[in-house]
Amino acid sequence: MVSKTGVFIIGALGDIANTLFVGCSAIRRGLVSGAGLVTDLTPFADLNLVALENLEFGGHDIAEGSVPESADRIYRESRTFSREILDAVQADLQRINGNVVIDSSLQWNVLSPSDRLPPLDALIERMRGYLRGFIDKFGFDRVVLVNLTSAEPNPPLSECHQDLTAFEKLLSEDRKDLISPGMAWVYAGFSEGCAYVNFTPNLGANVAALQQLAEGKGVSYCGNDGKTGETLVKTALAPMFACRNLRVMSWEGYNLLGNNDGRTLNDPDNSKAKIGNKEAVLERILGYPVQAGVSINFVPSLGDWKTAWDLIHFQGFMDVPMTMQFTWQGCDSILAAPLVLDLIRLIHFAGCQGESGPTPHLASFFKNPIGVAEQSLSAQFGLLLEYVERHRSKIAAKSGGKNLAGLRAAT
């Protein structure tokens, strides 16, 4: 019997999480294809990644509700999956709901921390307790902790964030102004031996003290800020201007979205990190400063559908100015959910290979990848293919090298 792999999602009642639940179940049942899953591409077939049917989902949310109610709301508001699919996966959604805990106390704002909440060390023990309960319920050997919450204000980093002992002193001193909920979850997850995926713009594991903890526990992590829409196009398109020596003078982007992320990002304190991630990619690719304004506007009527309009003003031969415009329209959760499944499978694979620490080969999934300066999408994807090829070669070598040439040809 193949053992299950646990996936504990923070933000388990959100749109991305529930689109992931419905989509994963629909693929298992043969109701839809694996379109959108990078790990469904041919080069990944020989890695023996964890099968979707062997993923057991659970999680936490601060909002009242249930997984079936959240999925039904997405169906009614976004129509990204049919009533027939939703009805077919109800039993799976009910099962997942039995693994989700609701606890509104595990949320605070570093800009105005509440003294009515329990102290930090007690809150983190509660987080660890939820993780242990999930692990013990199913007897998992491996668990992946995934952050799918909305953006939160990041605390100012100091020397206390650079050392694990100093960080733990902040916990004992109840410094909610210096430790965000996202950072607390990372500490709890690493303490329980969980790998970590941060799909949000929040700091997550991008803190030296927490990376020390991950190293000590021998677990992998990746992030930050999933790359699904406008920035995905930027990182694919900007290298074209660079390789043709067309100087970009300005690149203005306007983003419209109406889901809970849009509502949260309407607050400048919450959107600061995401906008910074969006703006930073161009200079890294082009090699020179660019006027690169990014705006995010909350439009409630759009729901989970988002629109980005970009204007690129560039200079060509004889300094003649030209423009290019594009419009990107897509469903945020439909774009994000398969990538989260990919990351779960790939970071689980890394753990099975005895790897730990940062995972630079996963850079193509993120706006602000940990430890990777490269921002060109093709170059980042090349890192992933190189990683896959190394492991496929190892697999072929173990089998006597008989299939190595065929495996390489398939890439």
Side-chain angles (χ1 to χ4, degrees):
M1 179 179 178
V2 178
S3 62
K4 294 275 189 176
T5 294
V7 181
F8 194 92
I9 294 180
I10 317 161
L13 298 187
D15 287 5
I16 296 177
N18 280 268
T19 301
L20 183 156
F21 297 152
V22 172
C24 186
S25 182
I27 294 172
R28 290 169 176 169
R29 293 171 179 272
L31 302 175
V32 296
S33 74
L37 280 171
V38 175
T39 48
D40 251 23
L41 294 173
T42 300
F44 298 86
D46 300 294
L47 294 190
N48 194 27
L49 299 175
V50 59
L52 297 185
E53 56 264 29
N54 291 327
L55 298 177
E56 188 75 51
F57 296 104
H60 162 267
D61 210 293
I62 60 172
E64 293 295 329
S66 70
V67 169
E69 289 169 352
S70 297
D72 186 67
R73 174 184 52 76
I74 295 170
Y75 160 73
R76 287 183 284 103
E77 294 180 357
S78 299
R79 300 286 176 170
T80 46
F81 41 80
S82 68
R83 183 77 247 177
E84 289 76 15
I85 287 177
L86 185 57
D87 289 343
V89 303
Q90 276 301 308
D92 297 333
L93 299 183
Q94 291 288 353
R95 176 183 172 86
I96 295 169
N97 191 61
N99 303 329
V100 172
V101 292
I102 306 299
D103 187 343
S104 61
S105 71
L106 301 183
Q107 177 67 27
W108 60 92
N109 191 324
V110 296
L111 301 179
S112 54
S114 173
D115 57 5
R116 292 177 295 178
L117 293 176
L120 264 176
D121 51 5
L123 291 173
I124 287 180
E125 184 54 39
R126 191 176 297 178
M127 294 174 177
R128 294 184 64 175
Y130 292 143
L131 288 168
R132 283 195 298 269
F134 182 54
I135 294 169
D136 293 344
K137 181 177 180 179
F138 296 97
F140 298 123
D141 292 327
R142 297 185 184 277
V143 172
V144 180
L145 177 65
V146 182
N147 190 350
L148 295 181
T149 60
S150 296
E152 63 187 14
N154 285 323
L157 295 183
S158 67
E159 291 183 1
C160 295
H161 295 90
Q162 305 306 307
D163 175 74
L164 181 56
T165 301
F167 185 89
E168 290 176 333
K169 190 170 185 291
L170 294 179
L171 298 180
S172 64
E173 294 174 346
D174 195 27
R175 294 299 302 272
K176 294 188 183 77
D177 58 323
L178 294 178
I179 296 180
S180 65
M183 292 163 65
W185 270 110
V186 176
Y187 181 87
F190 286 167
S191 297
E192 295 300 325
C194 302
Y196 179 68
V197 174
N198 183 24
F199 211 71
T200 79
N202 308 327
L203 277 171
N206 204 14
V207 175
L210 293 171
Q211 293 174 0
Q212 292 170 19
L213 179 59
E215 182 179 355
K217 294 292 183 177
V219 293
S220 298
Y221 53 86
C222 62
N224 299 316
D225 204 357
K227 182 161 61 179
T228 60
E230 180 198 35
T231 308
L232 177 67
V233 178
K234 276 184 177 179
T235 57
L237 192 57
M240 177 195 73
F241 289 94
C243 72
R244 282 289 188 265
N245 196 20
L246 299 171
R247 186 173 184 85
V248 176
M249 298 180 289
S250 59
W251 191 316
E252 297 292 320
Y254 296 87
N255 296 262
L256 310 173
L257 67 162
N259 57 16
N260 192 53
D261 269 355
R263 183 179 293 105
T264 302
L265 292 170
N266 205 38
D267 183 334
D269 291 324
N270 293 330
S271 63
K272 185 177 180 180
K274 179 171 282 289
I275 290 176
N277 291 340
K278 283 175 164 286
E279 291 177 339
V281 299
L282 290 175
E283 185 171 341
R284 291 184 183 178
I285 293 173
L286 299 172
Y288 52 84
V290 178
Q291 167 63 36
V294 175
S295 68
I296 300 176
N297 299 314
F298 178 47
V299 184
S301 65
L302 291 178
D304 203 30
W305 293 85
K306 63 181 180 182
T307 297
W309 172 71
D310 279 43
L311 171 67
I312 308 162
H313 196 208
F314 63 98
Q315 192 178 57
F317 187 56
M318 298 180 65
D319 301 330
V320 173
M322 293 172 275
T323 61
M324 177 180 179
Q325 301 177 48
F326 70 82
T327 302
W328 171 275
Q329 294 176 300
C331 179
D332 192 41
S333 298
I334 290 294
L335 293 165
L339 303 184
V340 177
L341 282 172
D342 288 327
L343 290 164
I344 291 166
R345 301 179 82 190
L346 289 167
I347 207 161
H348 171 269
F349 177 82
C352 291
Q353 307 312 304
E355 300 167 6
S356 61
T359 48
H361 58 283
L362 300 179
S364 62
F365 292 93
F366 300 104
K367 297 184 183 73
N368 185 25
I370 296 174
V372 178
E374 177 62 65
Q375 285 287 353
S376 166
L377 179 64
S378 60
Q380 289 178 336
F381 192 61
L383 296 175
L384 179 57
L385 290 180
E386 288 172 9
Y387 175 87
V388 171
E389 179 62 16
R390 284 199 307 273
H391 283 285
R392 292 171 71 196
S393 297
K394 290 178 182 178
I395 293 169
K398 287 181 179 178
S399 65
K402 298 177 182 178
N403 301 319
L404 184 56
L407 289 173
R408 284 177 174 163
T411 306

